[in-house]
Amino acid sequence: RPEAAPWQGRYNERQQFWIAYAQSWCAKVTPEALRSQMTSDEHPPVEFRVNAVLMNNPEFSRDFNCSAGAPMAPVNRCSLW
């Protein structure tokens, strides 16, 4: 199948996948709601559910050409599988 056209003339199909993943977690949270979540919910705030997942994914770094050691491409990644 043909690759999708660059989004906004800039992002290729693989990059669009990661952008869509991040956008799926978009939320606006008040400080009070965040405090409540941190004390009563075992799930991390959305910021970490996006950034921590992506920064530990070598495919993300490859698709965005992140240099090793960049904030979203740490040298020592956490890998579960």
Side-chain angles (χ1 to χ4, degrees):
R1 84 181 158 76
E3 186 167 320
W7 177 54
Q8 294 187 349
R10 179 175 178 182
Y11 300 106
N12 67 40
E13 189 171 19
R14 294 192 59 85
Q15 292 169 326
Q16 290 175 52
F17 169 82
W18 300 115
I19 292 167
Y21 170 79
Q23 287 179 329
S24 74
W25 286 102
C26 282
K28 194 168 190 175
V29 181
T30 64
E32 295 79 18
L34 179 60
R35 190 173 306 110
S36 175
Q37 178 186 4
M38 295 298 294
T39 59
S40 64
D41 189 346
E42 66 274 7
H43 297 97
V46 294
E47 172 186 353
F48 300 101
R49 295 183 87 164
V50 173
N51 291 346
V53 169
L54 298 183
M55 72 189 311
N56 286 297
N57 190 308
E59 288 82 10
F60 172 85
S61 298
R62 180 199 65 213
D63 293 343
F64 278 96
N65 298 315
C66 299
S67 301
M72 291 301 287
V75 174
N76 298 312
R77 288 190 167 96
C78 177
S79 178
L80 298 176
W81 297 279

